[in-house]
Amino acid sequence: MKRNARVASALIAPSFIPLIAFLILPMIAAVCLSFASWDLLSPIQWIGLGNFKELFTHSIFYKSLFHSLVFIAGYLPLVYFLGLAAALGLNKKFRGSSFLRAAYFLPVVTSWVIVSLLWKWILNPNGGIVNSFLHVLGIQGPGWWTSPTWAMPSVIIASVWKDMGYVMLILLSGLQSIPPEYQEAAAMDGASKRQILFKITLPLLTPATFFVIVISLINNFQVFDQIYLMTGGGPDGSTSVLVQQIVKNAFDYGRSGFAAAMSMMLFIILLAITLIQIRLQKRWVNYA
Amino acid sequence: MRKSGLRGSYLTKGLLILGGIVMIFPFFWMVSSSLKNTAEAFATPPTLIPKAATLDNYRHVMTNLDLPRLFFNSISVSVTVTVIQVLTSAMAGYAFARLHFRGKKFLFLVYLMTMMVPMQVIIVPLFIEMRQLHLLDSLLGLGLPMVVSAFGVFFMRQAMTGIPMEIEEAALLDGASHIRIFRSIALPLTIPALSALTILAFMSVWNAFLWPLVEIFSPEKMTLPLGLANLQGEHSTDWPMVMAGTTLAVIPVILVYVGFQKHITQSFLTAGLKG
C-alpha cells in the first residue's frame, strides 16, 4: 500500500501540479478578485460586493446575457434541425455519401479565425458574394456584420455553418445505435415512414439530442472567437456577449475586478446548466 | 420501391448535395478570391473563376506576415503541449484506474470539478499570474496553462479501466513494477484513446485564440490564428490578401483532415465533449 502511494503520487503529480498552478489557483484568485477593484497596476482595493451590485444594476451585464440568449435562440434550432436533416439523409450509405459526410464535417476542423474571416468576406456589404448575388436578383442586401440588426444573424450563420457537421456526427452515431429491428418491425406492421420517424426514430434519438443541446448551451455561453473577429461586439454593442465583456473590462478598461465578477456569473451559469443536465438526464432521456 | 419513394429519395439526395455545396463553396470562394486582383474581387456580378488570375495577394500576405515563423510557433507550441498533456493524462489516468491509494476518490473528484472551469472564467487571474512569473509574451507562458487537462485525465482513466485485470496480475506476479506495466501494457493497450486525445489536444491548441490573444503581443511570438486575425485592417481590409492568408493556413488542415479523416471524426465521437 505504501509503495502504491509513492507510485501513485509520482504518476499523478505531473498533471496535478499544473492543475493547481494554472487552474485551481487562478479559480480561487478569480473569486477573490471579484470582490476587488483593480486596474492591474495601482494597489488593489477591496470593495466587497460592489462589483456584483454594479453587475445587477448596470445594463451591460443584462445586455450581454440577452445577446447570448439571442445568439442561442437563433443558433440552436438552426444547427440542430440542419444537423438532424443531414444525419437522417446520410444515415444510409449511397454513392457519394461518405464524401458528403466529410464535406459537412470539414468546417468543424477549421479554426474560428479562418471561418470568421471567410464569412466576413462572403457577407461583406460591398463586393461580398451574398450581396452581389442579391444585387443581381434586384435586391439590396443588408449591411450584415456592419449593421446593428444584421450583425447577430451574420455571426449565427457562420456559427451554424461551422458547427453543423459536429451536430450531424453526434446524431449520426445516435441513429446508428438504434437497432434496425425496431424500424423494420414497425414497417411490417404497416407504419408509414413519417410514423416511424416521429414515433420510433426521434424518441430513441433523445439521448443524442440531449447531448447536443447541453453541449451547445455550455459552449454558447462562452462564445468569444467569432464575436471578437467578426464584429468585435459591435456595431453599437449589438453583439456584445459575456466573455467579450470580460476581456474588454479586464484588458481595455482596466476593470479586472468587475471582469472577474462577470467570470463568476459565467461560471454559475455553466454550473447551473451542468446540474440541470444531471437531474434531467434521468428523467426525459429515453434510453433504448 | 414505390415510385413516390424513389422520387423522395432523389429529392433527399438533391438536398444533401445542395447542403454539400453550401459547405464546400466558401472554401472554393476563398481560393478563388485569393487569386483575383482587387477590381475583380469586388466586381458585380462576381466571377466564379478568376479571369486574370494573379499571385500578387500571396506575395502581399508573405510580406505582411512572417508565415513560416507563425507556422513554426504554432507547430512547436501545439506539439509540445500535446505530448505533455497526453503523457501526463495517461499517467494520472493509469494511477486512478489501476492503483489503490489513500485519497484517491477525493483527488479524482478535484479533477472532475475542474473539468467545469473553462479558460474563459480564469482568463484574468491567469494573465496576472503570467505577469508575476514574467512569462507574458512568451511561448512558454502561452503553452503552460494549456498543458492542464482534467478532461484528458478523466478520459484516459476510462480507457485504462477497460484493460483486463488478468494481464496486469500476471505481470505483477512476474515481478514487473507498475511503471513497467504502465509502459509496456497500459500504453500499448490504450492506443485508440491515446490517439483520440492526441488529435483533440492538438486541435484545441492549434486553434486556440482567446488565451494567445491575451498572452502574446509581439508579432514574432504569435501563433497562426493571431497572425491571421491581424491581417484585418483597422478601417478597411484587403480581402483578397486576407483570403490568400487563410488559404495558406487552411491547406495543411485540409491535408491532415483528408489523411486522418476516420481518426479525427472518431475522436470527436469518443471524446465528443470538447465541441
Side-chain angles (χ1 to χ4, degrees), chain A residues 1 3-5 7-8 10-27 29-30 33 38-41 85-90 94-95 98-122 124 126-129 131-133 135-136 145 160-166 169-170 173 193 211 215 219 222-225 228-230 243 246-247 250-251 256-257 259-260 263-264 266-267 270-271 274, chain B residues 1 5 12-13 15-27 29-30 33 41-46 48 84 88-89 91-92 94-96 99-102 107 110-111 113-133 144-150 153 176-179 182 203 206-210 213-214 224-226 228-229 231-232 239-240 242-243 246 249-250 253-254 257 261 264-266 268-269 271-275:
Chain A
M1 201 66 178
R3 252 200 58 195
N4 260 359
V7 177
L11 286 169
I12 292 175
S15 75
F16 199 64
I17 292 169
L19 189 77
I20 293 177
F22 304 116
L23 212 146
I24 296 175
L25 278 182
M27 187 62 195
L33 196 56
W38 193 24
D39 61 1
L40 297 174
L41 297 167
L88 288 170
L90 292 172
F94 56 87
R95 239 178 53 155
S98 50
F99 174 78
L100 280 174
R101 276 191 208 189
Y104 283 55
F105 199 74
L106 183 58
V108 179
V109 296
T110 313
S111 77
W112 254 121
V113 177
I114 294 173
V115 172
S116 302
L117 293 173
L118 177 53
W119 276 92
K120 257 185 114 159
W121 167 230
I122 287 175
N124 207 40
N126 305 311
I129 181 142
N131 273 7
S132 301
F133 187 70
H135 183 83
V136 172
W145 46 269
V160 169
W161 181 79
K162 177 161 169 28
D163 293 346
M164 199 195 92
Y166 175 70
L169 181 78
I170 301 291
S173 89
K193 273 192 171 164
F211 180 78
I215 222 66
N219 287 337
Q222 304 173 48
V223 156
F224 175 77
D225 297 5
Y228 177 87
L229 289 155
M230 286 182 76
V243 179
I246 293 173
V247 172
F251 303 111
S256 65
S263 305
M264 286 303 110
L266 172 64
F267 180 67
L270 298 179
L271 194 67
T274 312
Chain B
M1 200 184 255
T12 316
K13 274 180 201 165
L15 286 174
L16 284 170
I17 291 167
L18 188 72
I21 293 172
V22 172
M23 300 316 273
I24 292 294
F25 180 79
F27 290 105
W29 190 240
M30 182 198 299
S33 304
F42 284 89
T44 327
L48 275 186
I84 297 174
T88 55
S89 297
M91 285 161 67
Y94 177 81
F96 282 119
L99 292 176
H100 302 282
F101 54 93
R102 249 189 27 206
L107 263 185
V110 172
Y111 276 95
M113 285 190 335
T114 53
M115 255 170 76
M116 278 191 314
V117 182
M119 183 69 94
Q120 279 87 334
V121 169
I122 54 168
I123 193 90
V124 181
L126 217 44
F127 171 85
I128 299 167
E129 185 179 3
M130 287 306 159
R131 195 179 61 172
Q132 282 329 98
L133 294 171
L144 274 176
M146 297 202 279
V147 162
V148 178
S149 172
V153 174
S177 68
H178 272 293
I179 304 297
F182 171 72
M203 276 187 56
W206 181 265
N207 291 336
F209 186 69
L210 174 59
L213 181 73
V214 169
L224 200 53
L226 276 188
L228 287 175
L231 282 178
Q232 286 198 81
W239 285 109
V242 174
M243 288 302 109
T246 52
V250 91
V253 176
I254 293 180
Y257 176 60
Q261 195 208 332
I264 292 173
T265 46
Q266 197 53 42
F268 268 85
L269 264 183
L273 288 160
K274 286 215 159 168

Side-chain angles (χ1 to χ4, degrees), chain A:
Chain A
M1 201 66 178
K2 242 198 183 141
R3 252 200 58 195
N4 260 359
R6 228 183 14 229
V7 177
S9 39
L11 286 169
I12 292 175
S15 75
F16 199 64
I17 292 169
L19 189 77
I20 293 177
F22 304 116
L23 212 146
I24 296 175
L25 278 182
M27 187 62 195
I28 296 169
V31 176
C32 298
L33 196 56
S34 70
F35 300 111
S37 170
W38 193 24
D39 61 1
L40 297 174
L41 297 167
S42 48
I44 192 163
Q45 272 181 311
W46 301 101
I47 57 167
L49 288 171
N51 288 323
F52 291 95
K53 254 184 225 148
E54 186 183 341
L55 210 66
F56 287 113
T57 48
H58 226 68
S59 64
I60 198 75
F61 173 65
Y62 293 116
K63 229 184 187 166
S64 54
L65 211 55
F66 176 70
H67 291 147
S68 293
L69 292 174
V70 171
F71 176 81
I72 292 168
Y75 164 91
L76 193 53
L78 270 177
V79 83
Y80 178 74
F81 286 112
L82 290 173
L84 179 66
L88 288 170
L90 292 172
N91 193 23
K92 279 212 190 88
K93 285 213 159 88
F94 56 87
R95 239 178 53 155
S97 67
S98 50
F99 174 78
L100 280 174
R101 276 191 208 189
Y104 283 55
F105 199 74
L106 183 58
V108 179
V109 296
T110 313
S111 77
W112 254 121
V113 177
I114 294 173
V115 172
S116 302
L117 293 173
L118 177 53
W119 276 92
K120 257 185 114 159
W121 167 230
I122 287 175
L123 295 175
N124 207 40
N126 305 311
I129 181 142
V130 171
N131 273 7
S132 301
F133 187 70
L134 290 175
H135 183 83
V136 172
L137 294 177
I139 304 168
Q140 168 74 43
W144 297 110
W145 46 269
T146 62
S147 132
T149 352
W150 286 92
M152 190 57 96
S154 308
V155 177
I156 291 173
I157 291 171
S159 306
V160 169
W161 181 79
K162 177 161 169 28
D163 293 346
M164 199 195 92
Y166 175 70
V167 173
M168 173 198 75
L169 181 78
I170 301 291
L171 294 177
L172 258 177
S173 89
L175 284 175
Q176 269 148 19
S177 69
I178 298 173
E181 293 82 30
Y182 291 7
Q183 286 130 334
E184 282 159 18
M188 295 264 260
D189 288 343
S192 70
K193 273 192 171 164
R194 179 163 306 177
Q195 278 172 322
I196 295 176
L197 175 66
F198 283 102
K199 302 270 160 150
I200 296 180
T201 311
L202 290 184
L204 287 174
L205 203 59
T206 43
T209 299
F210 188 72
F211 180 78
V212 168
I213 292 173
V214 169
I215 222 66
S216 303
L217 285 178
I218 290 179
N219 287 337
N220 287 342
F221 275 104
Q222 304 173 48
V223 156
F224 175 77
D225 297 5
Q226 62 266 54
I227 298 272
Y228 177 87
L229 289 155
M230 286 182 76
T231 66
D236 243 0
S238 60
T239 53
S240 90
V241 290
L242 214 47
V243 179
Q244 188 246 344
Q245 282 297 328
I246 293 173
V247 172
K248 248 198 158 133
N249 273 281
F251 303 111
D252 295 349
Y253 306 156
R255 308 196 59 205
S256 65
F258 190 62
M262 280 200 275
S263 305
M264 286 303 110
M265 297 316 294
L266 172 64
F267 180 67
I268 290 168
I269 291 170
L270 298 179
L271 194 67
I273 296 171
T274 312
L275 292 179
I276 292 170
Q277 172 212 358
I278 293 168
R279 294 215 46 179
L280 279 185
Q281 203 156 28
K282 288 172 197 143
R283 262 197 281 152
W284 74 252
V285 175
N286 203 338
Y287 288 106

